Amino acid sequence: MKTQLSVIVPVYNTERFLRRCIESILNQNVEKCELILINDGSTDSSGKICDEYAKENQCISVIHRKNQGVGKARNNGVLASSGKYITFVDSDDYLDQNMYQNILEIAQKYDSDVVMCDCIKEYGDHTEIYTHNIREGYYNREQIEKEYFPNLLIMPNVEYPPTISNWVCVFKNNKKPLHYVEGVRYSEDLLFGAEMMYHADSFYYMKGQ
C-alpha cells in the first residue's frame, strides 16, 4: 500500500522540544505514515535525537545537511516524500493524537487538494484556539477564486491569510510538487501558502477543529 501521509519536520537546534514533537507524530492514528526529519545543521543534540528515533522506527528517515534555512529544508523533505498527502510540522510544536486521522478523513471524503484545520496557541498561563475569518467547509475551484483569492496574500483587516500556517495544512503530493522560495528567511510560509491555494482545485476548512 502506498504511503498515505508524509510528515516533514525541519529541525534546527530544538533539542528541548524535539522529542515531544516526534512522539506526537508517532502517536497519530494514521496507517502508512512516514516521518522525514531534516536536520538543518543543528549544533546541539537535535541531530543525534533524530538518529536515535530513526534507528528504532522504520517509518522515520533523517536527512543531515548544512544550515541553509527552513525553506530549503522543507523542499528537501518534499523531494524525499512518497505519501499521497504531505504536511509540515515545526520541531518545537506538537499534535493532537487525532489530528491527521480527522484531516485525512475529510481529504478522502471530498477528494480535496488542500485541507486546513485550526490550532491551539499556548501563552504560558492560558491557551487559545487560533482560527480564521473565512467560512468553514468545502470550496470548489470557483469558490476558491471568488472567496479565497481576495485573501490570498492578506486579509481585509491586515491579518495574514489563513494558509500562512502551513503546518495546519495537508495537501496532495502532486507530480509537480509545490516548493518554497529558497533564500527567503522570513514569511517563506506566506509565499508557499499562496502558491498552494493558487493551484488548488478544491479546499476544505475544518474551522474550530
Side-chain angles (χ1 to χ4, degrees):
M1 182 185 294
K2 182 178 179 180
T3 302
Q4 183 74 352
L5 179 67
S6 297
V7 183
I8 298 166
V9 181
V11 178
Y12 180 70
N13 289 352
T14 51
E15 60 183 8
R16 287 179 55 202
F17 311 102
L18 185 55
R19 294 184 187 277
R20 181 182 66 174
C21 174
I22 294 174
E23 292 288 348
S24 75
I25 298 170
L26 293 176
N27 288 332
Q28 292 294 300
N29 294 319
V30 176
E31 295 183 1
K32 301 298 181 182
C33 176
E34 67 176 357
L35 171 55
I36 303 172
L37 303 170
I38 315 295
N39 177 32
D40 190 35
S42 296
T43 57
D44 63 3
S45 64
S46 294
K48 181 180 178 181
I49 293 171
C50 291
D51 288 337
E52 288 175 358
Y53 274 94
K55 185 177 180 180
E56 300 297 328
N57 297 271
Q58 293 184 348
C59 67
I60 297 178
S61 59
V62 182
I63 299 175
H64 295 281
R65 27 159 286 156
K66 65 179 182 180
N67 179 253
Q68 294 177 286
V70 66
K72 190 170 181 62
R74 288 176 177 154
N75 285 344
N76 288 161
V78 170
L79 292 174
S81 66
S82 62
K84 180 180 179 181
Y85 296 94
I86 295 176
T87 190
F88 303 105
V89 179
D90 289 342
S91 58
D92 57 350
D93 290 331
Y94 63 99
L95 311 177
D96 178 85
Q97 185 176 5
N98 298 313
M99 176 179 174
Y100 291 146
Q101 180 185 42
N102 294 338
I103 288 179
L104 289 174
E105 286 177 356
I106 291 292
Q108 293 163 358
K109 180 178 180 179
Y110 293 92
D111 192 28
S112 295
D113 290 339
V114 180
V115 178
M116 182 181 75
C117 67
D118 288 334
C119 68
I120 295 177
K121 289 196 171 185
E122 297 182 343
Y123 295 97
D125 61 342
H126 72 285
T127 61
E128 294 179 5
I129 294 179
Y130 185 65
T131 190
H132 301 281
N133 190 26
I134 61 173
R135 71 167 174 86
E136 64 181 323
Y138 177 80
Y139 296 66
N140 60 27
R141 177 64 187 186
E142 181 180 357
Q143 291 167 324
I144 291 173
E145 293 181 1
K146 182 179 179 180
E147 300 180 48
Y148 195 94
F149 272 23
N151 307 311
L152 195 63
L153 296 176
I154 200 166
M155 300 289 285
N157 59 353
V158 201
E159 288 288 334
Y160 285 120
T163 53
I164 188 173
S165 301
N166 300 164
W167 39 269
V168 295
C169 299
V170 170
F171 59 95
K172 282 185 179 178
N173 189 0
N174 297 315
K175 292 182 180 179
K176 184 178 181 181
L178 298 169
H179 69 283
Y180 286 83
V181 179
E182 297 177 6
V184 176
R185 291 276 179 167
Y186 302 100
S187 294
E188 78 290 333
D189 43 2
L190 172 61
L191 293 174
F192 185 90
E195 180 185 4
M196 180 171 60
M197 291 303 295
Y198 182 77
H199 292 291
D201 289 324
S202 55
F203 168 63
Y204 195 102
Y205 178 28
M206 300 169 63
K207 193 179 184 76
Q209 300 183 56

